[in-house]
Amino acid sequence: MSTLVLLLITGVGLGALYFLVASGLSLIYGLMHVLNFAHGAFLSLGGLLGWEVGRRVGDGTWGGLLVSMLVGMLVGALFAIVTELVFIRRLYNRHIEQVLVTVGIGLAAVALFEGIWGSDPIITTKVPWLRQTTEVVGARVPNHIWLLIGVAVVVLLAIVLFLRFTRFGLVIRAGVENRTMVTALGIDVRTAFTIVFAIGGAAAGLGGVLASVYYGNVSAHQGTSLLIYAFIVTVIGGLGSLTGAAIASVLIAVLQQLANFYLGGTGDLIIVLALAAVLLVRPSGLLGRAA
Amino acid sequence: MSALLHVEGLRARVGGQQVVEDVSLDVADTGVTALLGRNGVGKSSTIKAILGIIERDGTVEFDGRPIDRLRTDRIVRQGVAYVPEDREVFASLTVEENLTLATRQAAPNRGLVDELFPELRERARQRAGTLSGGQQQMVSLARALLNDNRLLLVDEPTKGLSPRLVGEVTRVLRTAAEQTPMLLVEQNLQVVREIAQDVVVLSGGRVVHRGAALEFLDDQDLVHRHLGVAA
Amino acid sequence: MSRLTGNRFVVPVLGVLLVVFAALLPRLDLSVPGVLPGATYTPGTLQILAYGFLIAALALSYHLIFGLAGMLSFGHALFFGAGAYGLAIVLRRLLPAELPAGVALLIAVLVTLVVAFVIASAVGALALRVTGISFAMVTLAFAQAMNVLVRRNTGGQTGGEEGVSVTSAMVPDVLIGVRNSANLYWIALAILVLVYLATVWIESSRVGHVAAAARENELRVRVLGLRPYTVRLFVFTAAGVLAAVAGMGMVLLQSGTTPRVTSADFTLTLLVIVVLGGVGYRWGAIVGGLVYTLLDKRLSDLASSDLIASLPAVLRIPLSEPIFILGSIFVLIVMFLPGGIAGIAHRVRSGGESSHAH
């Protein structure tokens, strides 16, 4: 029983991490029809620079972690904005080329990070409380899981409120549904593109810092490996659906944890099969609109 | 009478297929110019090409200035409103949100819209996707009429509507046309007869007839030849 | 018109000459400083060229899917990996049979081909039920599943992160060791020629024409009463089998393989190669494969050179990462040179023609 509880809670924690990457991917795809392969690089840079600044402020302290998170968000957002303005925008409406460019940026950026920070993971120092555990119905849950879940919930709420109550949110929601009609109402939808990239980049950068807390290290490759899971989550949830991404993140991560424990480490395999199954039964994903 | 919108040698492709071959037409600076033709001759595509929604080349001048290189949103912001075929309301947004999104000016014509479409006011918080076809058409028209436009491009506004609603939409179009010139794609020739002053007839992506509306509609042979129906 | 008939003969003749020249390289003493690491008869150079040929063959097979049929697959590494791992594993399983080395290799090649065919048609049959980005994702997912299986040392066959090596007892002696680099080089060249001919045949067949037509306008193909699904499945399966052939060449050339050849990064590299060479051009894929291989090699050498080591960090770090440079070149090509290397050549030629005409 306590094992199951532990697996479920850590699964939700991992799902929180997936969500931070997948939320941006899903919004970007929904609005722009670009599958952003550079998203992992946003995460890695957020994690790496967040760590660099955070440890100077206070290694292993709450203050340091907070600064890391802020820096991670900022860095992720800036990287994303530059990517959108300099590269994506010039290839307006040429979706294949846009995907290719993000592939190139992803490869080049990660290689550059390797050049700067090396290819081996760098061990990070955790805040003492995050190293401890809390007992929940007999299960000793690592405290960093609560941080992950808490932050992901805040991010989810913030994005939902932004989409719901701001003019840009309105444009983004309408654009996900029918971008052509948004421009036909006289709205320059490109501003919304930049904003969506910035939001996605900020969430990914924050995800980078939290990934370093979760795994206990940072590395140039962290984003790339998380990106594949995030893709799977995004597609299962339905490209363009934020709620879908949130639900699929948790489902997939929990499934992965359970399979890893009960089915002899087959978690990765199971979620890949889940993706294939979902796509074949419901090509638009769980909450996606039929094309 | 002079031309507000001047189109010359317009060509457009969709998915590798030439849908507008060579269209030249003028829209007068008052009243309604109807764009007629059988199904699939490129009427909707012509409107989309004017707005740059589909790739096009050729000359399009609005009020004497070329707009054929401008992005869609820039063209619309010059005061060219578009009411698309099939309404294209944002189904997941509420009626109110649909209208808010469409508002381009600080003081939108809410009074006019409320007067023309009293029903929308009651349904402000309803998702547009759950409205009937006629109500969605009202949202689509309201989105255009909220702003002070210089030209309306209206594509098959009465398509699929009941006779009562056709009458209502016609009334709205007539009111709108008193203020703003209009290019109207319309299959219902009775509606054309009631509100249009000029007609442009397309066939196979080209203009085959241009002239006064009533003159055209009263010429049975011409109508039959170009539209395949009796007027 | 005379120009066209001229091309008809000139191109194959040029092609044959090029192959003959390539086949003679191990017997020649040619040096291209800065491009090749040594004279053409040296094992090091032959190894790199053979590697380039196999990557070019792989890129050609990917060209069938991406360039011809217009499908963006992120799973092509799966088939290359199936060929490489398949051959090595089957060879080892055959070991107790004490067959003559040549026979064992032949059997292993045939078995691997069948396995590759089955995998490619099964994956294709499932993945092609969806299109566009979903298709890309399903193929990515299958390749990722293969990658996971391979890294996990499934059934004790794939050797985990270490990969597998080819059992030397099961391979004819003429294919083993530095002394026989030339033989492996010729095999790689033969594979490239084979894959090229297969690609030409598929592209000029009825199936190829329909696949190309379905890329431009699916509706029109349906109207003609043809099922794009069947045609695409054929192209996808053929490309998968050809990729496996290249993979088999690679495992022989390197006497083994690692999980890297099944990774998503490897497929992305392939995408880079095809775009570098020029999407839609057969010889673009070949040139892309060769240029990429040589560039990668030269950039790696450059990275460890004294010249780079003496530079300040701002320059040293980017320049010592080949993938950074290649990735950046790729981005620039996508942004500013659609059509890649082949596109440039095409433009130069047609530019020349039009100036003749005037």
Tab-separated table of all heavy atoms in Angstrom, chain C residues 137-187:
chain	number	residue	atom	x	y	z
C	137	MET	N	5.289	11.840	-34.919
C	137	MET	CA	5.358	11.443	-33.514
C	137	MET	C	5.285	9.928	-33.337
C	137	MET	O	5.981	9.367	-32.505
C	137	MET	CB	4.216	12.106	-32.736
C	137	MET	CG	4.405	13.580	-32.514
C	137	MET	SD	5.808	13.919	-31.449
C	137	MET	CE	7.026	14.375	-32.655
C	138	VAL	N	4.427	9.253	-34.116
C	138	VAL	CA	4.333	7.796	-33.986
C	138	VAL	C	5.663	7.167	-34.388
C	138	VAL	O	6.170	6.261	-33.712
C	138	VAL	CB	3.203	7.211	-34.865
C	138	VAL	CG1	3.067	5.719	-34.622
C	138	VAL	CG2	1.904	7.878	-34.552
C	139	THR	N	6.242	7.651	-35.485
C	139	THR	CA	7.522	7.079	-35.906
C	139	THR	C	8.584	7.355	-34.846
C	139	THR	O	9.389	6.479	-34.528
C	139	THR	CB	7.954	7.656	-37.261
C	139	THR	OG1	7.885	9.078	-37.205
C	139	THR	CG2	7.068	7.152	-38.380
C	140	LEU	N	8.559	8.556	-34.280
C	140	LEU	CA	9.500	8.877	-33.200
C	140	LEU	C	9.309	7.911	-32.035
C	140	LEU	O	10.275	7.403	-31.456
C	140	LEU	CB	9.308	10.322	-32.729
C	140	LEU	CG	10.173	10.782	-31.558
C	140	LEU	CD1	11.633	10.886	-31.987
C	140	LEU	CD2	9.719	12.117	-31.001
C	141	ALA	N	8.045	7.646	-31.718
C	141	ALA	CA	7.747	6.773	-30.582
C	141	ALA	C	8.268	5.360	-30.820
C	141	ALA	O	8.885	4.758	-29.939
C	141	ALA	CB	6.234	6.749	-30.327
C	142	PHE	N	8.057	4.831	-32.014
C	142	PHE	CA	8.538	3.476	-32.301
C	142	PHE	C	10.063	3.426	-32.242
C	142	PHE	O	10.649	2.492	-31.682
C	142	PHE	CB	8.040	3.005	-33.673
C	142	PHE	CG	6.645	2.453	-33.631
C	142	PHE	CD1	5.587	3.114	-34.228
C	142	PHE	CD2	6.385	1.261	-32.968
C	142	PHE	CE1	4.308	2.623	-34.177
C	142	PHE	CE2	5.102	0.745	-32.916
C	142	PHE	CZ	4.056	1.431	-33.516
C	143	ALA	N	10.708	4.436	-32.823
C	143	ALA	CA	12.165	4.453	-32.795
C	143	ALA	C	12.655	4.547	-31.362
C	143	ALA	O	13.640	3.904	-30.969
C	143	ALA	CB	12.685	5.629	-33.626
C	144	GLN	N	11.955	5.334	-30.573
C	144	GLN	CA	12.344	5.508	-29.175
C	144	GLN	C	12.180	4.181	-28.420
C	144	GLN	O	13.012	3.819	-27.594
C	144	GLN	CB	11.475	6.612	-28.544
C	144	GLN	CG	11.990	7.169	-27.254
C	144	GLN	CD	13.378	7.758	-27.405
C	144	GLN	OE1	13.784	8.171	-28.483
C	144	GLN	NE2	14.145	7.767	-26.307
C	145	ALA	N	11.113	3.450	-28.749
C	145	ALA	CA	10.896	2.153	-28.114
C	145	ALA	C	12.049	1.211	-28.435
C	145	ALA	O	12.588	0.519	-27.561
C	145	ALA	CB	9.574	1.550	-28.597
C	146	MET	N	12.459	1.211	-29.694
C	146	MET	CA	13.603	0.388	-30.121
C	146	MET	C	14.851	0.801	-29.349
C	146	MET	O	15.602	-0.040	-28.846
C	146	MET	CB	13.803	0.607	-31.630
C	146	MET	CG	15.173	0.210	-32.138
C	146	MET	SD	15.199	-1.505	-32.657
C	146	MET	CE	16.745	-1.543	-33.555
C	147	ASN	N	15.054	2.123	-29.253
C	147	ASN	CA	16.210	2.656	-28.538
C	147	ASN	C	16.223	2.173	-27.089
C	147	ASN	O	17.259	1.744	-26.566
C	147	ASN	CB	16.166	4.195	-28.618
C	147	ASN	CG	17.394	4.838	-28.011
C	147	ASN	OD1	17.300	5.544	-27.018
C	147	ASN	ND2	18.555	4.579	-28.583
C	148	VAL	N	15.041	2.214	-26.459
C	148	VAL	CA	14.931	1.770	-25.065
C	148	VAL	C	15.259	0.285	-24.952
C	148	VAL	O	16.045	-0.140	-24.098
C	148	VAL	CB	13.512	2.057	-24.521
C	148	VAL	CG1	13.296	1.361	-23.193
C	148	VAL	CG2	13.283	3.549	-24.390
C	149	LEU	N	14.668	-0.517	-25.856
C	149	LEU	CA	14.906	-1.966	-25.837
C	149	LEU	C	16.389	-2.275	-25.982
C	149	LEU	O	16.941	-3.105	-25.262
C	149	LEU	CB	14.133	-2.637	-26.976
C	149	LEU	CG	12.634	-2.785	-26.785
C	149	LEU	CD1	11.988	-3.334	-28.048
C	149	LEU	CD2	12.344	-3.703	-25.602
C	150	VAL	N	17.011	-1.604	-26.913
C	150	VAL	CA	18.414	-1.852	-27.206
C	150	VAL	C	19.307	-1.479	-26.016
C	150	VAL	O	20.201	-2.222	-25.629
C	150	VAL	CB	18.808	-1.071	-28.472
C	150	VAL	CG1	20.308	-0.927	-28.571
C	150	VAL	CG2	18.278	-1.767	-29.708
C	151	ARG	N	19.029	-0.333	-25.422
C	151	ARG	CA	19.853	0.129	-24.298
C	151	ARG	C	19.654	-0.734	-23.071
C	151	ARG	O	20.511	-0.790	-22.200
C	151	ARG	CB	19.491	1.563	-23.929
C	151	ARG	CG	19.678	2.527	-25.033
C	151	ARG	CD	19.078	3.847	-24.624
C	151	ARG	NE	20.101	4.634	-23.981
C	151	ARG	CZ	20.642	5.698	-24.549
C	151	ARG	NH1	20.249	6.067	-25.739
C	151	ARG	NH2	21.565	6.375	-23.931
C	152	ARG	N	18.490	-1.375	-22.982
C	152	ARG	CA	18.164	-2.163	-21.810
C	152	ARG	C	18.759	-3.561	-21.887
C	152	ARG	O	18.546	-4.376	-21.007
C	152	ARG	CB	16.639	-2.281	-21.737
C	152	ARG	CG	16.086	-2.155	-20.371
C	152	ARG	CD	14.579	-2.130	-20.467
C	152	ARG	NE	14.080	-0.763	-20.477
C	152	ARG	CZ	14.065	-0.006	-19.406
C	152	ARG	NH1	14.509	-0.436	-18.277
C	152	ARG	NH2	13.608	1.218	-19.475
C	153	ASN	N	19.471	-3.844	-22.992
C	153	ASN	CA	20.058	-5.168	-23.202
C	153	ASN	C	18.975	-6.244	-23.140
C	153	ASN	O	19.077	-7.223	-22.412
C	153	ASN	CB	21.153	-5.441	-22.157
C	153	ASN	CG	22.006	-6.629	-22.555
C	153	ASN	OD1	21.903	-7.113	-23.683
C	153	ASN	ND2	22.831	-7.093	-21.636
C	154	THR	N	17.935	-6.027	-23.941
C	154	THR	CA	16.780	-6.926	-23.923
C	154	THR	C	17.178	-8.352	-24.296
C	154	THR	O	17.844	-8.581	-25.300
C	154	THR	CB	15.720	-6.413	-24.921
C	154	THR	OG1	15.474	-5.046	-24.632
C	154	THR	CG2	14.428	-7.208	-24.799
C	155	GLY	N	16.769	-9.287	-23.477
C	155	GLY	CA	17.055	-10.694	-23.726
C	155	GLY	C	18.551	-10.992	-23.716
C	155	GLY	O	18.975	-12.022	-24.230
C	156	GLY	N	19.327	-10.077	-23.188
C	156	GLY	CA	20.775	-10.288	-23.148
C	156	GLY	C	21.414	-10.277	-24.528
C	156	GLY	O	22.522	-10.768	-24.714
C	157	GLN	N	20.692	-9.704	-25.519
C	157	GLN	CA	21.197	-9.773	-26.893
C	157	GLN	C	21.867	-8.491	-27.376
C	157	GLN	O	22.740	-8.540	-28.227
C	157	GLN	CB	20.023	-10.083	-27.842
C	157	GLN	CG	19.369	-11.427	-27.607
C	157	GLN	CD	20.313	-12.572	-27.898
C	157	GLN	OE1	21.131	-12.507	-28.802
C	157	GLN	NE2	20.229	-13.627	-27.100
C	158	THR	N	21.420	-7.342	-26.868
C	158	THR	CA	21.856	-6.089	-27.481
C	158	THR	C	23.006	-5.405	-26.762
C	158	THR	O	23.505	-4.382	-27.214
C	158	THR	CB	20.679	-5.092	-27.563
C	158	THR	OG1	20.202	-4.852	-26.228
C	158	THR	CG2	19.555	-5.648	-28.408
C	159	GLY	N	23.424	-5.966	-25.643
C	159	GLY	CA	24.627	-5.455	-24.996
C	159	GLY	C	24.485	-4.104	-24.315
C	159	GLY	O	25.493	-3.467	-24.009
C	160	GLY	N	23.262	-3.627	-24.101
C	160	GLY	CA	23.059	-2.366	-23.375
C	160	GLY	C	23.814	-1.209	-24.002
C	160	GLY	O	23.893	-1.103	-25.223
C	161	GLU	N	24.354	-0.334	-23.147
C	161	GLU	CA	25.041	0.865	-23.633
C	161	GLU	C	26.300	0.523	-24.428
C	161	GLU	O	26.775	1.302	-25.241
C	161	GLU	CB	25.418	1.775	-22.452
C	161	GLU	CG	24.228	2.309	-21.664
C	161	GLU	CD	23.397	3.309	-22.453
C	161	GLU	OE1	23.916	3.885	-23.422
C	161	GLU	OE2	22.211	3.498	-22.101
C	162	GLU	N	26.869	-0.658	-24.143
C	162	GLU	CA	28.103	-1.060	-24.825
C	162	GLU	C	27.861	-1.378	-26.294
C	162	GLU	O	28.740	-1.257	-27.127
C	162	GLU	CB	28.680	-2.321	-24.159
C	162	GLU	CG	29.019	-2.159	-22.694
C	162	GLU	CD	30.174	-1.196	-22.504
C	162	GLU	OE1	31.191	-1.389	-23.195
C	162	GLU	OE2	30.034	-0.261	-21.698
C	163	GLY	N	26.655	-1.841	-26.604
C	163	GLY	CA	26.359	-2.248	-27.960
C	163	GLY	C	26.822	-3.665	-28.236
C	163	GLY	O	27.152	-4.415	-27.315
C	164	VAL	N	26.817	-4.034	-29.503
C	164	VAL	CA	27.234	-5.397	-29.865
C	164	VAL	C	28.425	-5.323	-30.804
C	164	VAL	O	28.643	-4.330	-31.485
C	164	VAL	CB	26.096	-6.150	-30.591
C	164	VAL	CG1	25.012	-6.546	-29.629
C	164	VAL	CG2	25.543	-5.326	-31.732
C	165	SER	N	29.217	-6.399	-30.826
C	165	SER	CA	30.295	-6.451	-31.798
C	165	SER	C	30.074	-7.665	-32.698
C	165	SER	O	29.385	-8.618	-32.323
C	165	SER	CB	31.644	-6.535	-31.092
C	165	SER	OG	31.619	-7.624	-30.201
C	166	VAL	N	30.625	-7.599	-33.878
C	166	VAL	CA	30.457	-8.692	-34.835
C	166	VAL	C	31.463	-9.794	-34.487
C	166	VAL	O	32.651	-9.528	-34.306
C	166	VAL	CB	30.684	-8.179	-36.267
C	166	VAL	CG1	30.704	-9.348	-37.246
C	166	VAL	CG2	29.600	-7.193	-36.638
C	167	THR	N	30.956	-11.014	-34.367
C	167	THR	CA	31.827	-12.139	-34.049
C	167	THR	C	32.726	-12.405	-35.248
C	167	THR	O	32.244	-12.742	-36.325
C	167	THR	CB	30.968	-13.393	-33.782
C	167	THR	OG1	29.757	-12.977	-33.172
C	167	THR	CG2	31.688	-14.364	-32.902
C	168	SER	N	34.029	-12.266	-35.062
C	168	SER	CA	34.922	-12.333	-36.221
C	168	SER	C	34.955	-13.728	-36.839
C	168	SER	O	35.192	-13.869	-38.033
C	168	SER	CB	36.331	-11.891	-35.833
C	168	SER	OG	36.753	-12.630	-34.708
C	169	ALA	N	34.659	-14.750	-36.030
C	169	ALA	CA	34.699	-16.112	-36.565
C	169	ALA	C	33.651	-16.326	-37.650
C	169	ALA	O	33.774	-17.231	-38.480
C	169	ALA	CB	34.478	-17.113	-35.434
C	170	MET	N	32.593	-15.498	-37.606
C	170	MET	CA	31.492	-15.720	-38.530
C	170	MET	C	31.589	-14.869	-39.796
C	170	MET	O	30.701	-14.898	-40.629
C	170	MET	CB	30.149	-15.414	-37.837
C	170	MET	CG	29.922	-16.216	-36.585
C	170	MET	SD	29.987	-17.974	-36.897
C	170	MET	CE	28.400	-18.208	-37.674
C	171	VAL	N	32.635	-14.076	-39.896
C	171	VAL	CA	32.765	-13.191	-41.050
C	171	VAL	C	34.000	-13.634	-41.833
C	171	VAL	O	35.027	-13.949	-41.235
C	171	VAL	CB	32.916	-11.732	-40.585
C	171	VAL	CG1	33.114	-10.807	-41.766
C	171	VAL	CG2	31.703	-11.313	-39.776
C	172	PRO	N	33.918	-13.699	-43.148
C	172	PRO	CA	35.099	-14.089	-43.922
C	172	PRO	C	36.307	-13.209	-43.581
C	172	PRO	O	36.145	-12.009	-43.339
C	172	PRO	CB	34.656	-13.859	-45.367
C	172	PRO	CG	33.166	-13.927	-45.330
C	172	PRO	CD	32.747	-13.440	-43.985
C	173	ASP	N	37.467	-13.800	-43.561
C	173	ASP	CA	38.681	-13.083	-43.176
C	173	ASP	C	38.926	-11.824	-44.010
C	173	ASP	O	39.467	-10.851	-43.512
C	173	ASP	CB	39.901	-14.011	-43.309
C	173	ASP	CG	39.902	-15.046	-42.199
C	173	ASP	OD1	39.202	-14.814	-41.186
C	173	ASP	OD2	40.580	-16.084	-42.352
C	174	VAL	N	38.508	-11.905	-45.295
C	174	VAL	CA	38.782	-10.755	-46.174
C	174	VAL	C	38.042	-9.495	-45.736
C	174	VAL	O	38.271	-8.416	-46.274
C	174	VAL	CB	38.399	-11.064	-47.635
C	174	VAL	CG1	39.368	-12.071	-48.232
C	174	VAL	CG2	36.958	-11.535	-47.723
C	175	LEU	N	37.116	-9.621	-44.781
C	175	LEU	CA	36.369	-8.448	-44.322
C	175	LEU	C	36.822	-7.989	-42.946
C	175	LEU	O	36.168	-7.186	-42.299
C	175	LEU	CB	34.863	-8.761	-44.292
C	175	LEU	CG	34.221	-9.069	-45.652
C	175	LEU	CD1	32.739	-9.321	-45.498
C	175	LEU	CD2	34.475	-7.936	-46.628
C	176	ILE	N	37.916	-8.514	-42.480
C	176	ILE	CA	38.334	-8.189	-41.122
C	176	ILE	C	39.696	-7.515	-41.120
C	176	ILE	O	40.605	-7.894	-41.851
C	176	ILE	CB	38.361	-9.461	-40.247
C	176	ILE	CG1	36.939	-9.998	-40.090
C	176	ILE	CG2	38.959	-9.176	-38.870
C	176	ILE	CD1	36.871	-11.373	-39.528
C	177	GLY	N	39.778	-6.526	-40.268
C	177	GLY	CA	41.079	-5.933	-39.994
C	177	GLY	C	41.428	-4.772	-40.902
C	177	GLY	O	40.820	-4.562	-41.949
C	178	VAL	N	42.423	-4.022	-40.458
C	178	VAL	CA	42.850	-2.823	-41.164
C	178	VAL	C	43.377	-3.168	-42.553
C	178	VAL	O	43.181	-2.429	-43.514
C	178	VAL	CB	43.946	-2.107	-40.338
C	178	VAL	CG1	44.479	-0.904	-41.083
C	178	VAL	CG2	43.396	-1.706	-38.976
C	179	ARG	N	44.011	-4.340	-42.686
C	179	ARG	CA	44.579	-4.762	-43.968
C	179	ARG	C	43.508	-4.813	-45.049
C	179	ARG	O	43.775	-4.590	-46.211
C	179	ARG	CB	45.193	-6.167	-43.828
C	179	ARG	CG	46.621	-6.194	-43.341
C	179	ARG	CD	47.135	-7.619	-43.339
C	179	ARG	NE	46.232	-8.525	-42.624
C	179	ARG	CZ	45.568	-9.509	-43.220
C	179	ARG	NH1	45.702	-9.731	-44.489
C	179	ARG	NH2	44.771	-10.290	-42.499
C	180	ASN	N	42.296	-5.157	-44.630
C	180	ASN	CA	41.233	-5.350	-45.605
C	180	ASN	C	40.283	-4.155	-45.711
C	180	ASN	O	39.148	-4.304	-46.154
C	180	ASN	CB	40.458	-6.624	-45.273
C	180	ASN	CG	41.306	-7.847	-45.509
C	180	ASN	OD1	41.939	-7.976	-46.549
C	180	ASN	ND2	41.364	-8.730	-44.528
C	181	SER	N	40.749	-2.991	-45.323
C	181	SER	CA	39.910	-1.791	-45.413
C	181	SER	C	39.338	-1.609	-46.807
C	181	SER	O	38.190	-1.208	-46.971
C	181	SER	CB	40.727	-0.543	-45.064
C	181	SER	OG	41.133	-0.606	-43.736
C	182	ALA	N	40.168	-1.925	-47.809
C	182	ALA	CA	39.715	-1.705	-49.187
C	182	ALA	C	38.483	-2.560	-49.483
C	182	ALA	O	37.539	-2.097	-50.135
C	182	ALA	CB	40.831	-2.012	-50.160
C	183	ASN	N	38.455	-3.786	-48.990
C	183	ASN	CA	37.303	-4.662	-49.243
C	183	ASN	C	36.037	-4.091	-48.620
C	183	ASN	O	34.969	-4.073	-49.241
C	183	ASN	CB	37.566	-6.066	-48.685
C	183	ASN	CG	38.700	-6.749	-49.435
C	183	ASN	OD1	38.983	-6.383	-50.578
C	183	ASN	ND2	39.369	-7.687	-48.788
C	184	LEU	N	36.164	-3.638	-47.395
C	184	LEU	CA	35.002	-3.047	-46.728
C	184	LEU	C	34.561	-1.780	-47.463
C	184	LEU	O	33.371	-1.500	-47.597
C	184	LEU	CB	35.349	-2.731	-45.265
C	184	LEU	CG	35.443	-3.977	-44.388
C	184	LEU	CD1	36.152	-3.665	-43.083
C	184	LEU	CD2	34.054	-4.540	-44.106
C	185	TYR	N	35.545	-1.035	-47.934
C	185	TYR	CA	35.258	0.172	-48.704
C	185	TYR	C	34.428	-0.175	-49.937
C	185	TYR	O	33.432	0.471	-50.243
C	185	TYR	CB	36.575	0.833	-49.090
C	185	TYR	CG	36.445	1.944	-50.101
C	185	TYR	CD1	36.206	3.251	-49.695
C	185	TYR	CD2	36.579	1.695	-51.468
C	185	TYR	CE1	36.098	4.274	-50.626
C	185	TYR	CE2	36.471	2.695	-52.401
C	185	TYR	CZ	36.227	3.990	-51.979
C	185	TYR	OH	36.109	4.997	-52.892
C	186	TRP	N	34.846	-1.249	-50.628
C	186	TRP	CA	34.108	-1.631	-51.833
C	186	TRP	C	32.692	-2.101	-51.499
C	186	TRP	O	31.756	-1.859	-52.249
C	186	TRP	CB	34.880	-2.720	-52.601
C	186	TRP	CG	36.029	-2.138	-53.392
C	186	TRP	CD1	36.025	-0.996	-54.116
C	186	TRP	CD2	37.353	-2.676	-53.492
C	186	TRP	NE1	37.268	-0.769	-54.678
C	186	TRP	CE2	38.100	-1.795	-54.315
C	186	TRP	CE3	37.987	-3.815	-52.982
C	186	TRP	CZ2	39.441	-2.003	-54.625
C	186	TRP	CZ3	39.322	-4.023	-53.321
C	186	TRP	CH2	40.047	-3.130	-54.123
C	187	ILE	N	32.575	-2.796	-50.387
C	187	ILE	CA	31.231	-3.222	-49.982
C	187	ILE	C	30.343	-1.998	-49.738
C	187	ILE	O	29.197	-1.927	-50.197
C	187	ILE	CB	31.291	-4.102	-48.719
C	187	ILE	CG1	31.865	-5.473	-49.103
C	187	ILE	CG2	29.905	-4.262	-48.091
C	187	ILE	CD1	31.828	-6.493	-47.996
